[in-house]
Amino acid sequence: VRMPVQGHGQDARAIRGQNGVLEIIVFDRAGHILHDGTEAVALFNAEVRPTLMSMLDQGKPIEIEANNEARVAVPIKVGDHVLGGIEIVVSLAQVTANTEWLRRALMRIEESNRATLLTALALGTTVMAVLGALVGIAIAGGLIRPLKDISVFARRVGQGDYDAPLSVDRSDELGQLARDLRQMATDLKGFAQHS
């Protein structure tokens, strides 16, 4: 059984053009090379190595690493019938370089993610600090202003101005203090008038 050369030739050239692929051969069941991935098909009809023929007989892929190359041969089957095979030789140096490039790319992504996380943490901390400050200002505004008004009122009453205004009108302890001080000012006014 002979396989058509045209389709395999195009595929073989495309694969051989990939980075790190040193050699590719497509061969038939008889061990004749149908395409070698070059335009010239230099090895056309040459015989394949005995190792590849034994791979065809077993019908199982083989892998061999030697001389900084990796050879992978895979049978081409239709059902259980082996039509031929394909062998690809890849440069392990190129695979290592590609792996190193990928490792560096992943490290850059990791560093970018780390920087993004640190930025998010810094932004989150800043937002929490601002919110805390705003809450503090709101609480302080709710306490400091009434205490300041009460202090001014007490000073004016101490100077004899018993009718001084006190605008603290709350239902909490500060409101009760303001009511008590107003009552005290009224009592002092009455005492002062009696005297």
Side-chain angles (χ1 to χ4, degrees):
V1 175
R2 299 282 293 187
M3 295 184 290
V5 175
Q6 290 84 6
H8 296 296
Q10 238 178 344
D11 295 339
R13 279 191 296 277
I15 292 171
R16 187 162 184 160
Q18 297 298 314
N19 197 9
V21 176
L22 301 176
E23 182 181 316
I24 181 170
I25 58 170
V26 179
F27 51 95
D28 63 14
R29 179 69 181 111
H32 295 106
I33 295 176
L34 302 175
H35 211 289
D36 66 357
T38 66
E39 292 298 323
V41 192
L43 300 176
F44 184 70
N45 258 346
E47 301 274 324
V48 296
R49 291 184 321 283
T51 310
L52 295 179
M53 290 306 296
S54 73
M55 181 265 310
L56 289 179
D57 293 338
Q58 294 174 13
K60 295 180 182 175
I62 59 170
E63 296 178 29
I64 301 170
E65 286 186 31
N67 301 327
N68 209 18
E69 296 176 351
R71 292 180 173 271
V72 178
V74 180
I76 299 172
K77 296 180 177 182
V78 174
D80 289 336
H81 184 68
V82 177
L83 298 177
I86 185 168
E87 179 186 41
I88 300 176
V89 180
V90 180
S91 163
L92 291 178
Q94 186 61 49
V95 169
T96 301
N98 290 345
T99 304
E100 181 59 25
W101 175 86
L102 181 60
R103 186 190 66 77
R104 284 193 309 269
L106 290 173
M107 285 180 66
R108 283 192 302 272
I109 290 169
E110 179 185 356
E111 289 169 6
S112 173
N113 286 346
R114 187 177 307 131
T116 301
L117 178 62
L118 290 175
T119 301
L121 285 173
L123 182 59
T125 302
T126 302
V127 167
M128 293 304 291
V130 168
L131 286 176
L134 290 175
V135 167
I137 289 170
I139 290 173
L143 293 176
I144 292 175
R145 188 170 297 120
L147 286 173
K148 185 177 178 185
D149 289 348
I150 289 171
S151 174
V152 169
F153 176 78
R155 210 173 313 118
R156 287 183 68 180
V157 168
Q159 294 170 351
D161 183 6
Y162 306 115
D163 295 320
L166 180 56
S167 59
V168 177
D169 189 22
R170 299 165 54 135
S171 61
D172 62 359
E173 290 81 6
L174 287 175
Q176 184 61 48
L177 177 62
R179 287 187 291 280
D180 290 344
L181 286 173
R182 279 190 207 108
Q183 184 61 48
M184 182 186 75
T186 302
D187 292 346
L188 284 173
K189 181 179 178 182
F191 180 73
Q193 286 174 349
H194 247 85
S195 298

